[in-house]
Amino acid sequence: MNSSPSLTSDGATNTITTSNKRSSSNLPPLLVLRPLSDAWSAALSAKFTVISPSSPLSTSTRAALVSAAYNKVDPAFLDQYPSLQCIATTSIGVDHIDLEECWRRGIQVATVGEIFTKDVADYAVGLLIDVSRRITMSDRYVQNGLWMSQGDYPLGSKLGGKHVGIVGLGSIGSAIARRLEAFGCKISYVSRKPKPTVKYKYIPNIYDLATESDILVVACSLTKETHHIVNKQVLQALGKEGIVINIGRGANIDEPELVRCLVQGEIKGAGLDVFENEPNIPKELFEMGNVVLTAHQSVFTPEAISDIIQVCIANFEAFFAGKPLLTPVVAD
Ligand SMILES: O=C(O)[C@H](O)CO
């Protein structure tokens, strides 16, 4: 390598290596789209022949791919690698992968499974407490020396007793619900179907959910159906005292509408870890005292990165051994 690495959020690096060494071993071929951190590199190259996009991928041997949420896997991409038969993404979201096209080509796809669930749920609750109790804003106030000159900072709102509407009660949404229940919140949810095993109130329509909620937490995946699921009407139904938290995907919310509602006081606040056009963020959000913004990092901790490596390797080993993937994406 010839330059110093900068870590990406999932622990790979942005460093461009100049020594794309091709192993001469018979280890199975694994296409990796970007240079790897030492931890990734050591773990993968012990078991696979790691191939960078600049090296040719044999068309006669079946190969696998490590992908990340920002690698678009569409027909044009797949056309370049006809021997690809397995993709493991370092994310739980799969909106970057054209699944129908993968299945049409017989390509298996795996995610990281549930390894992020608890961390994301913790983070969503953290954002919610931060926005409703105004912790970050109060911190800025104190750090800017305003307490002495301008007096006490305006009060935030209590979390206990609030109605929280969860958009998407999958494993992450359920983990958020359990945590918020412990804070004394009343939980309702919207999802494609009611979950027979949960005690939370199912509301089939997101407008009704927003109308009944003080806080909406977006925890669904991004699909055609959930694109802009939180739109102008939903935000208006949530109302002037409402707070939105998003740890799903930016495009689950109509972002220009969200910004407009925040600017015009049509909702009270927002805690956002994801945005429609990352890392570009509407500049109006920077000037607001009622938002907390973070850099799509709810899933990533050093502990989780080590788990990602392990689950990716386990999936590839299963694939090359002809066994079922451990954390496959299955068709609905
Ligand atoms: O989908 C995920 O796992 C996270 O959002 C990181 O991309």
Side-chain angles (χ1 to χ4, degrees):
M1 288 190 223
N2 70 347
S3 57
S4 50
S6 66
L7 277 183
T8 63
S9 44
D10 63 357
T13 87
N14 285 326
T15 309
I16 301 302
T17 57
T18 53
S19 61
N20 278 322
K21 246 193 328 186
R22 177 104 186 250
S23 162
S24 57
S25 76
N26 288 327
L27 297 175
L30 186 62
L31 178 64
V32 176
L33 297 178
R34 63 217 155 118
L36 297 171
S37 67
D38 290 347
W40 271 99
S41 183
L44 294 183
S45 51
K47 303 194 175 225
F48 309 101
T49 301
V50 175
I51 297 176
S52 74
S54 57
S55 306
L57 190 60
S58 159
T59 48
S60 57
T61 319
R62 53 196 208 127
L65 164 76
V66 185
S67 139
Y70 49 82
N71 297 131
K72 198 167 175 53
V73 177
D74 58 12
F77 172 86
L78 294 171
D79 283 347
Q80 297 173 61
Y81 303 106
S83 54
L84 263 190
Q85 290 188 16
C86 174
I87 297 173
T89 179
T90 59
S91 59
I92 184 64
V94 286
D95 45 291
H96 56 298
I97 301 178
D98 184 335
L99 291 175
E100 294 298 329
E101 189 59 28
C102 286
W103 287 321
R104 200 181 66 73
R105 297 178 188 225
I107 298 170
Q108 300 182 58
V109 181
T111 64
V112 291
E114 304 223 338
I115 63 178
F116 293 151
T117 300
K118 291 180 179 162
D119 294 337
V120 181
D122 294 347
Y123 203 93
V125 173
L127 276 178
L128 176 43
I129 295 176
D130 191 338
V131 176
S132 55
R133 298 300 304 271
R134 314 190 74 178
I135 296 172
T136 297
M137 290 309 143
S138 178
D139 170 75
R140 281 187 210 154
Y141 188 79
V142 172
Q143 302 232 28
N144 288 331
L146 299 174
W147 194 8
M148 178 70 92
S149 59
Q150 297 189 17
D152 288 342
Y153 190 70
L155 301 179
S157 299
K158 185 182 171 79
L159 184 56
K162 292 288 185 301
H163 286 254
V164 181
I166 312 254
V167 182
L169 202 74
S171 65
I172 292 176
S174 304
I176 294 170
R178 284 194 297 277
R179 282 157 175 72
L180 290 176
E181 221 187 333
F183 283 94
C185 297
K186 295 170 195 136
I187 312 290
S188 311
Y189 70 99
V190 67
S191 67
R192 276 176 299 182
K193 295 185 267 211
K195 314 265 170 181
T197 54
V198 306
K199 56 190 171 189
Y200 310 123
K201 182 174 173 192
Y202 175 65
I203 301 186
N205 179 313
I206 189 163
Y207 303 101
D208 296 339
L209 181 77
T211 306
E212 287 195 19
S213 299
D214 302 301
I215 297 154
L216 268 192
V217 179
V218 181
C220 58
S221 54
L222 179 62
T223 62
K224 282 194 207 90
E225 292 72 36
T226 62
H227 182 265
H228 287 190
I229 187 170
V230 178
N231 59 19
K232 179 177 177 178
Q233 290 72 28
V234 172
L235 292 166
Q236 287 177 339
L238 184 63
K240 282 187 186 322
E241 292 303 311
I243 289 175
V244 176
I245 303 297
N246 191 5
I247 47 76
R249 284 286 182 267
N252 290 134
I253 301 183
D254 181 340
E255 196 171 76
E257 266 310 317
L258 174 66
V259 170
R260 194 194 58 73
C261 287
L262 286 163
V263 169
Q264 298 187 356
E266 290 180 24
I267 64 166
K268 189 173 181 184
L272 308 170
D273 184 50
V274 287
F275 303 88
E276 277 211 76
N277 189 22
E278 296 169 6
N280 296 310
I281 295 182
K283 62 177 185 334
E284 296 94 319
L285 291 175
F286 298 147
E287 285 137 33
M288 288 177 188
N290 51 350
V291 294
V292 175
L293 313 173
T294 60
H296 197 149
Q297 61 193 49
S298 69
V299 297
F300 295 115
T301 59
E303 296 88 341
I305 289 165
S306 144
D307 292 344
I308 299 172
I309 297 175
Q310 296 315 318
V311 76
C312 282
I313 288 180
N315 275 304
F316 292 133
E317 287 185 319
F319 164 71
F320 285 115
K323 296 186 180 153
L325 300 183
L326 276 79
T327 49
V329 181
V330 285
D332 285 334

